[in-house]
Amino acid sequence: QVQLVESGGGLVQAGESLRLSCAASGSIFSINDMAWYRQGPGKARELVASISSDGNTVYEDSVKGQFTISRDNAKNTVSLQMNSLKPEDTAVYYCNANVKRYLWGAFLSYWGQGTQVTVSS
């Protein structure tokens, strides 16, 4: 099995920063893309940022220049540095990873349990 465990959420005021971290563990042969998604109140889950195994990044337009995604391939971790947070960034943030468990296996998508980020005005 594969587990993704997020940490770093919390309650902050507008303009402050938070750093989310996610660690993948279990039966892992390799990981290609890792990503952060979020789901705000009454909204659909949306991609915030993704990063490939060789470091190529993609950001949702509203967080460009505000959030930074990074990963440590040796530790199977991905992080999201969130600066200048706004109330509209309030959401549950989910870690996602595409994981191959065996050499001849397929990449499967795994999710963390989510971590709440609340930004007060």
Side-chain angles (χ1 to χ4, degrees):
Q1 265 293 16
V2 174
Q3 297 82 38
L4 300 182
V5 178
E6 300 115 333
S7 61
L11 171 64
V12 297
Q13 294 188 336
E16 294 184 340
S17 299
L18 274 177
R19 185 177 181 86
L20 304 182
S21 296
C22 173
S25 63
S27 178
I28 297 172
F29 178 77
S30 68
I31 303 176
N32 55 16
D33 291 350
M34 302 185 82
W36 288 95
Y37 286 74
R38 67 184 178 186
Q39 186 166 16
K43 298 181 181 180
R45 190 175 298 190
E46 63 175 0
L47 176 67
V48 176
S50 66
I51 184 167
S52 65
S53 56
D54 57 0
N56 291 319
T57 58
V58 174
Y59 293 94
E60 195 270 327
D61 285 346
S62 68
V63 306
K64 288 180 180 177
Q66 181 189 359
F67 291 3
T68 302
I69 190 170
S70 60
R71 66 188 284 174
D72 184 329
N73 291 332
K75 297 181 179 178
N76 290 332
T77 60
V78 62
S79 297
L80 185 69
Q81 178 66 41
M82 305 185 293
N83 297 328
S84 302
L85 283 162
K86 309 167 188 174
E88 51 263 44
D89 295 317
T90 294
V92 178
Y93 284 71
Y94 297 90
C95 175
N96 174 264
N98 289 325
V99 178
K100 180 186 285 192
R101 296 179 60 194
Y102 313 101
L103 174 61
W104 304 112
F107 283 99
L108 300 177
S109 181
Y110 292 88
W111 293 89
Q113 79 286 354
T115 185
Q116 178 70 47
V117 172
T118 302
V119 184
S120 64
S121 57

